[in-house]
Amino acid sequence: MSQYEKGAESKKNMLKAAKHLFYKDGYEATTVRDIAKLSGLNLGSLKYYFGSKSDMALVIYLDFQKILMQWVHTQGFDANMQRLISETIELQLCFESSSFARFFIEIHNEPRIQDCLQEKMCSRFQGEEVGKVFMAVDLLALKPALVRMYLSEEGKKIPKEEYLSFYIRRLLCLDGGEDETLCRKVVSVLEGYYYNVVDNFTPVLVKINVD
């Protein structure tokens, strides 16, 4: 095995260990020593390939988002519906998987990850009016806030579709206004699937009815 192949294998093993531990114990409860021990590698290797625990979590999260985007693109939605579904589906997954919800909230508490996600969001709206950029950044903070609320005792009394509808309306404001018909359509589409996130942050999305 070449040096490059060894490096790729080590990186893969570290990510696999991190995914398992973040899913089972949570991001905050997992230490870099835990990851190194489970992967069979040393702390120096982890720092060399990823820099820090937060950098590793960011890679896992962005890969997870990429899988969701690829799935959305296979469902035959038009461009606007693809955008709305892909932005909202994380909420649905948080509602259905406590392990993913915990990971989602904890990484959004991490300043390094917050900065990276905010920079990514701002780049998406580069050239847009400042107010629109502010709204986009506000949405970035809104999603974990809604998940925290849903996980509370009082929050669980509110139907899931209310959370989804509220977030979708805020997304539509980026387009210049609310469209209640479109909002209901997105919620209806989301309700037509079974959702879960299983071990190692593998999303499960299965259609359960036919329009």
Side-chain angles (χ1 to χ4, degrees):
M1 183 182 291
S2 69
Q3 196 66 30
Y4 174 81
E5 290 172 328
K6 288 180 180 178
E9 186 68 17
S10 295
K11 191 172 181 179
K12 179 181 177 181
N13 288 338
M14 280 184 277
L15 273 179
K16 183 178 179 180
K19 284 181 179 182
H20 176 75
L21 292 169
F22 291 162
Y23 184 90
K24 182 172 70 75
D25 301 325
Y27 170 77
E28 292 178 356
T30 299
T31 68
V32 290
R33 290 186 182 279
D34 294 332
I35 297 170
K37 182 178 179 180
L38 185 60
S39 66
L41 298 161
N42 58 47
L43 291 173
S45 295
L46 190 149
K47 188 171 183 179
Y48 175 78
Y49 288 111
F50 292 101
S52 67
K53 185 177 79 166
S54 63
D55 289 323
M56 184 174 287
L58 184 61
V59 169
I60 292 170
Y61 178 59
L62 294 180
D63 282 348
F64 184 86
Q65 284 191 319
K66 185 177 179 180
I67 291 171
L68 293 184
M69 286 293 295
Q70 290 172 341
W71 176 84
V72 170
H73 284 304
T74 67
Q75 299 305 298
F77 303 128
D78 62 38
N80 192 37
M81 185 63 76
Q82 281 185 14
R83 179 179 68 85
L84 294 170
I85 294 291
S86 62
E87 291 285 354
T88 312
I89 201 168
E90 273 187 334
L91 275 180
Q92 188 78 44
L93 288 167
C94 284
F95 297 159
E96 302 301 332
S97 169
S98 58
S99 292
F100 179 64
R102 177 179 58 189
F103 175 73
F104 184 80
I105 290 172
E106 289 180 347
I107 64 170
H108 279 81
N109 289 334
E110 183 72 62
R112 160 73 176 147
I113 294 177
Q114 284 181 352
D115 290 344
C116 289
L117 295 177
Q118 184 168 306
E119 184 178 336
K120 184 181 177 186
M121 179 66 79
C122 289
S123 68
R124 282 178 55 188
F125 290 89
Q126 188 173 13
E128 299 280 0
E129 59 183 59
V130 174
K132 196 166 187 177
V133 177
F134 287 165
M135 288 174 66
V137 172
D138 184 54
L139 277 170
L140 190 62
L142 176 62
K143 196 182 290 184
L146 290 175
V147 175
R148 290 188 194 95
M149 183 175 177
Y150 174 76
L151 294 177
S152 69
E153 288 303 315
E154 287 301 311
K156 287 178 181 176
K157 296 176 183 178
I158 302 172
K160 296 173 187 176
E161 57 266 24
E162 293 295 331
Y163 289 92
L164 297 173
S165 295
F166 179 76
Y167 187 74
I168 294 163
R169 290 188 189 102
R170 294 294 295 274
L171 281 172
L172 291 171
C173 285
L174 281 174
D175 298 329
E178 295 183 11
D179 183 334
E180 195 60 33
T181 300
L182 181 55
C183 178
R184 287 196 298 268
K185 182 178 179 181
V186 175
V187 172
S188 177
V189 169
L190 288 169
E191 289 176 341
Y193 291 84
Y194 165 79
Y195 303 88
N196 202 355
V197 179
V198 296
D199 194 21
N200 292 330
F201 296 104
T202 302
V204 177
L205 307 113
V206 180
K207 195 164 187 176
I208 57 178
N209 64 16
V210 179
D211 295 334

